[in-house]
Structures are given as C-alpha cells and as structure tokens.
Amino acid sequence: MTTGTKALISALYGFWLAAAGIMRFVQAGSKPALGFGLTTGVMALLGAALFMKGKSRAATILIAITLVFVVCFFVSKSMKDGVDVRVGLILASSVLEAIILILPVTAPPSDQQQG
C-alpha cells in the first residue's frame, strides 16, 4: 500500500468521523458529540496530510492516538447504551482504519518499463 492510498483512506476516515459528530448534533443536539467528532476528524485529517508529506511515522502515531480515543469512547458507550447503527459504523470503520494503518508502506510502481 502506498502512502498516497493511506492518506486517502485516512482522509475519508477523518471526514466520516466529522460527519458522524455533525449528524449526532443535528439529531440530538449533542454539543459534546459535535466537538468529539470534529476533533477526532481533524486529527485523522492531519494524519492524512502527514502521510502526503512523507511523514509516515508521525502520521501513524497521530492516527493511532485518534483510533484509541474513538474506539475506547465508543466501546464504553456501547457497553452502557447498546450499539446503534451510527456507533456500529464508526467502530467498523475504525477497525478498517487500524488495518490500513498497520499495513506496510510500499513504493509506488515505476512508470518505466524494463526491457
């Protein structure tokens, strides 16, 4: 997996976290959900930007911290309130982001043909 692919997936994850926080704010008027969603979303987007700049180690650390916050919060929330669709999707996307995060970075294929 290239750093560009990791950056794209991490950016999508960040936008999803922000959208989930906004969605919860619109549905229930929860300002903490809005703040949490936007904060974790921005953290993931900063991680994606670090991937694009070639700072893979810093990006991995920042996104790992984001994943810890998100997963711990939503697992504890699920234990108290049960799992709804939004929480289930956030946890599933967090697991996918964690898998993407641990995959090794490979060099992009060369445009030159060998012959």
Side-chain angles (χ1 to χ4, degrees), residues 2-3 5 16 44 67 73 77 79 82-83 88 90 104-105:
T2 65
T3 55
T5 305
W16 163 240
L67 284 168
F73 175 77
K77 179 177 175 34
M79 294 175 88
V83 178
I90 290 170
V105 175

Side-chain angles (χ1 to χ4, degrees), residues 38-96:
L38 292 177
T39 300
T40 55
V42 167
M43 288 172 68
L45 289 171
L46 288 173
L50 288 170
F51 271 128
M52 288 304 294
K53 291 194 171 257
K55 308 229 182 253
S56 293
R57 184 172 299 244
T60 301
I61 291 169
L62 182 59
I63 294 172
I65 291 169
T66 305
L67 284 168
V68 168
F69 285 152
V70 170
V71 171
C72 288
F73 175 77
F74 283 107
V75 166
S76 67
K77 179 177 175 34
S78 299
M79 294 175 88
K80 287 188 286 187
D81 303 334
V83 178
D84 63 358
V85 174
R86 180 184 60 90
V87 171
L89 288 173
I90 290 170
L91 288 172
S93 64
S94 295
V95 168
L96 291 174

